[in-house]
Amino acid sequence: MSQDRAHDGRTGDSSLLRRLNLSAALGAFLAAESLTLRELRAVVGVSRPTAEDLLSELLTEARVEETSPPRTPSSTRAAGRPARHFRFRAESGYVAGLDIGAHKAMAVVTDLRGNPLATHRVSLDPSLEARDRVRAAIDAAQASWSQARIAPADITGIACGVTGALRAGEGVHDVREGPVGSALAPYSLPGFTEIDLAGELSAGLGRPVAVANDVKLAALAEHWKGAARDHRDIVYMFAGHRAGAGVLIDGQVHQGRHGAAGEIGVFPALGWAPAMERLHARGAALAAAEGVGPGHEGELVIASAARQDPESLEVLIEFAEVLARGAAVLALAVDPEVIVLGGGMSRGGAIIAEPFRRELAKLTLVPIEVISSAMGADSVALGAARMALDTVVAELLAVPGS
């Protein structure tokens, strides 16, 4: 039924109907590469004069612009004057995604269709103080904007992924402070429980910044642009300088009541912490022997295992099996379509994936496909950009008073 009239057949509040129609029109442009006026009318369900009015307003607001028609074979082109095509202006705003980790701060900036325009990464000392780490992230974000030649005023949304932080309904908390158990000691950055991370980032960047768990954002990125694009229900296993997990249900990150969904690594019976300690100890020994600095322990163990070093193989296989046990627990709980291996350790290929698959198959009821991440080191920052983009689009389509 046309939105020119209220659902009960009587003329509705014209101001509210106009806002509803305008939101529907913008949503139609967001969902399509381009639209003609006729196509806009069909999607929104309004008369031609109303469609013309809506299009005119979107053009005036610079949310939409005229564009070239899509290429079609000459044999299929209709006779007469071709229809005008219009597209959503992805460059009418930009979002930034940040990743603050132990060894790096990274930023990515995208347009409003999620096309990455620039990234900037800086290496960090794992012992760096909290405010210096935040300052490095702010600098990385501003450097990415400069690389993309984007003015700070054009940034319309920012989000940040950080280890140990949870995005709960009442705000952002470190998992050690939340009501999700006692004596929890997950990995968290030094000093981050003593600062207002979102507040400091917002003050430094001049925009509100949302903060979320980095592993959950990496899972979101994998669904958005990575190996899990064609799947809706996903268990994501992060294996890097630490281990973590995230769950997507129907394409959305499942947070849980306190934002702690997927935090199975804190369950002592799984043995994640001891396996990680042994992996890092082996990596540290290899780094010392080869004169390599911190932050490359996992890569060194993988390279050593590939050379068939028995000790490296042992700790790597143990780590893969322990990770698989956690994945099996989540898989039995949510019955996913696919399990994604992400994080730096996932780049070990079969040397990680095969023992993971073998152990998983022993513990699950049905075969579950296991795929390796296609995102690499950019996953958390891209997931943060996706989170910021979702917020910006929701605000664009919001209808006050509806």
Side-chain angles (χ1 to χ4, degrees):
M1 180 181 292
S2 168
Q3 291 186 21
D4 285 334
R5 301 187 64 82
H7 289 294
D8 60 3
R10 296 171 298 178
T11 302
D13 181 310
S14 59
S15 175
L16 176 58
L17 284 175
R18 178 175 179 77
R19 293 196 298 272
L20 288 167
N21 285 337
L22 195 63
S23 175
L26 184 55
F29 279 110
L30 279 164
E33 287 299 315
S34 67
L35 292 172
T36 65
L37 183 64
R38 180 190 293 272
E39 290 168 337
L40 179 63
R41 284 184 59 199
V43 173
V44 181
V46 293
S47 65
R48 182 180 180 88
T50 299
E52 289 174 338
D53 188 41
L54 296 172
L55 179 58
S56 176
E57 183 161 343
L58 290 174
L59 287 165
T60 299
E61 292 177 353
R63 290 295 180 190
V64 167
E65 69 178 6
E66 189 167 358
T67 187
S68 302
R71 291 181 176 274
T72 57
S74 57
S75 59
T76 63
R77 292 176 193 160
R81 183 176 177 182
R84 297 168 67 194
H85 284 72
F86 303 87
R87 72 170 187 98
F88 173 71
R89 291 187 66 247
E91 63 276 19
S92 62
Y94 303 92
V95 299
L98 311 183
D99 173 13
I100 304 179
H103 297 89
K104 74 173 186 303
M106 182 175 178
V108 60
V109 58
T110 81
D111 62 23
L112 294 188
R113 281 212 183 273
N115 299 307
L117 304 176
T119 60
H120 190 81
R121 172 181 173 141
V122 293
S123 297
L124 302 177
D125 187 317
S127 63
L128 192 66
E129 292 185 1
R131 285 190 169 82
D132 291 334
R133 194 176 297 274
V134 173
R135 183 69 251 173
I138 291 169
D139 291 344
Q142 292 171 336
S144 72
W145 303 349
S146 178
Q147 289 170 24
R149 300 187 178 184
I150 294 170
D154 293 329
I155 299 293
T156 51
I158 308 173
C160 176
V162 62
T163 177
L166 300 176
R167 184 173 176 235
E170 61 271 27
V172 176
H173 302 280
D174 188 271
V175 286
R176 289 175 295 186
E177 299 179 307
V180 290
S182 60
L184 300 182
Y187 181 90
S188 195
L189 297 170
F192 268 49
T193 55
E194 284 75 51
I195 65 171
D196 174 9
L197 177 58
E200 297 213 8
L201 287 170
S202 300
L205 293 170
R207 291 284 184 279
V209 179
V211 178
N213 176 266
D214 57 351
V215 173
K216 292 180 174 65
L217 291 180
L220 183 63
E222 202 68 54
H223 171 62
W224 182 31
K225 289 182 178 288
R229 284 190 300 270
D230 298 327
H231 303 281
R232 302 289 294 173
D233 297 331
I234 301 158
V235 165
Y236 177 88
M237 305 303 296
F238 180 89
H241 296 294
R242 61 196 172 86
V247 176
L248 270 67
I249 297 176
D250 197 23
Q252 300 295 315
V253 173
H254 180 62
Q255 298 284 359
R257 173 63 182 88
H258 302 97
E263 297 287 351
I264 58 173
V266 302
F267 186 44
L270 286 176
W272 278 18
M276 286 298 303
E277 288 173 8
R278 285 190 283 274
L279 180 67
H280 279 293
R282 179 58 184 156
L286 291 169
E290 298 180 24
V292 178
H296 302 282
E297 291 84 357
E299 299 166 26
L300 291 171
V301 175
I302 289 171
S304 176
R307 296 191 296 268
Q308 299 301 304
D309 171 67
E311 187 174 353
S312 297
L313 276 169
E314 182 181 348
V315 298
L316 202 60
I317 289 171
E318 179 196 19
F319 173 73
E321 291 177 346
V322 165
L323 197 68
R325 289 170 204 148
V329 170
L330 289 175
L332 289 168
V334 303
D335 191 21
E337 299 170 59
V338 68
I339 293 174
V340 180
L341 277 177
M345 296 295 290
S346 68
R347 295 194 288 274
I351 206 164
I352 288 281
E354 288 311 310
F356 180 93
R357 288 190 177 98
R358 286 196 302 268
E359 188 69 12
L360 182 73
K362 298 175 188 176
L363 302 171
T364 50
L365 294 175
V366 295
I368 303 173
E369 183 183 5
V370 177
I371 56 179
S372 294
S373 168
M375 300 300 302
D378 297 357
S379 60
V380 175
L382 278 171
R386 176 73 253 184
M387 177 179 164
L389 184 58
D390 287 343
T391 300
V392 169
V393 169
E395 290 172 352
L396 285 176
L397 300 179
V399 181
S402 62

